[in-house]
């Protein structure tokens, strides 16, 4: 019957509550592990985390510096592009102005050459007209002498008389031509 009482006494013990010696040994092991963890693991973990933090912050700072440099380079590029566009526009305008100036000069030169050619033509025409008038006068004088010889029936061989007769005849023609033009 003793065994029945023992079983009954053991049944009063809660299996979920550990024995005191288990709690003490577990606490000692926990303290030792906590001490080792705090002494060796936590400092190394803190050091690694600090290094990572420094790398990340350094990377962020580098990225910000590179981004600022890229922004400055972009701004400089845009300014240079704007200057290049202004320069190209100025060069185009200058070329257009020079082209117009050259075209105006060529037109003026062509007009001057045309005027010179026309003046030369007028001069040549006037010279030819005077030559023709002179030739016609001398031919007309000879014809007048021939007619006068036929009408008079004698030779007008004396050149002085012939020249005087021709001059008188031409003056009469000029006088008659002037009267005829006035009519």
């Amino acid at each position: 019957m003793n065994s029945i009482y023992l079983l009954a006494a053991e049944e009063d013990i809660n299996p979920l509550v550990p024995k005191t010696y288990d709690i003490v040994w577990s606490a000692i092991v926990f303290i030792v592990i906590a001490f080792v963890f705090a002494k060796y693991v936590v400092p190394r973990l803190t050091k690694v985390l600090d290094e990572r933090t420094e790398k990340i912050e350094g990377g962020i700072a580098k990225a910000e510096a590179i981004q600022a440099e890229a922004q400055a380079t972009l701004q400089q590029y845009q300014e240079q592009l704007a200057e290049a566009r202004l320069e190209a526009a100025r060069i185009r305008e200058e070329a257009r102005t020079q082209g117009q100036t050259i075209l105006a000069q060529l037109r003026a030169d062509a007009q001057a050459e045309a005027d010179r050619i026309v003046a030369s033509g007028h001069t040549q025409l006037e010279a030819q007209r005077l030559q023709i008038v002179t030739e016609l006068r001398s031919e007309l004088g000879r014809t007048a002498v021939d007619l006068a010889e036929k009408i008079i029936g004698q030779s007008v061989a004396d050149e002085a008389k012939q020249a005087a007769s021709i001059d008188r005849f031409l003056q009469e023609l000029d006088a008659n031509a002037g009267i005829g033009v006035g009519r």
Side-chain angles (χ1 to χ4, degrees):
M1 293 216 171
N2 268 339
S3 64
I4 296 181
Y5 286 115
L6 277 176
L7 286 174
E10 284 182 19
E11 289 183 16
D12 286 340
I13 296 175
N14 190 355
L16 295 177
V17 176
K19 301 239 180 202
T20 309
Y21 67 88
D22 283 337
I23 293 174
V24 170
W25 282 109
S26 296
I28 291 173
V29 170
F30 180 75
I31 290 172
V32 168
I33 291 174
F35 176 76
V36 169
F37 194 80
K39 181 80 174 164
Y40 299 106
V41 175
V42 170
R44 285 187 178 175
L45 185 62
T46 304
K47 182 180 174 185
V48 168
L49 289 176
D50 287 344
E51 288 174 0
R52 282 192 172 179
T53 302
E54 287 177 15
K55 284 183 180 179
I56 290 172
E57 288 174 354
I60 290 173
K62 284 181 182 178
E64 288 175 351
I66 290 171
Q67 186 176 9
E69 184 180 334
Q71 188 67 28
T73 303
L74 177 64
Q75 182 67 26
Q76 183 181 10
Y77 169 74
Q78 289 174 342
E79 289 172 0
Q80 288 175 349
L81 185 62
E83 288 175 12
R85 285 183 179 153
L86 287 174
E87 181 68 15
R90 184 190 63 77
I91 289 170
R92 275 193 308 269
E93 186 61 33
E94 187 176 298
R96 184 177 298 121
T97 303
Q98 286 179 353
Q100 289 174 349
T101 303
I102 290 169
L103 186 61
Q105 181 64 34
L106 288 175
R107 284 183 182 154
D109 291 347
Q111 185 63 41
E113 183 65 17
D115 291 344
R116 185 191 65 78
I117 290 171
V118 167
S120 174
H122 284 303
T123 304
Q124 286 179 352
L125 284 176
E126 184 63 26
Q128 286 177 351
R129 187 188 71 77
L130 288 175
Q131 181 183 1
I132 290 171
V133 166
T134 305
E135 288 175 4
L136 283 176
R137 284 188 175 197
S138 79
E139 184 67 33
L140 188 59
R142 273 182 258 135
T143 306
V145 168
D146 289 344
L147 282 174
E149 285 179 353
K150 287 181 184 179
I151 293 173
I152 298 177
Q154 63 179 359
S155 171
V156 186
D158 185 13
E159 288 189 25
K161 290 182 184 178
Q162 188 178 17
S165 298
I166 291 172
D167 287 338
R168 191 173 19 99
F169 179 72
L170 288 176
Q171 286 175 359
E172 288 175 5
L173 273 178
D174 286 337
N176 287 338
I179 294 171
V181 171
R183 289 182 192 176

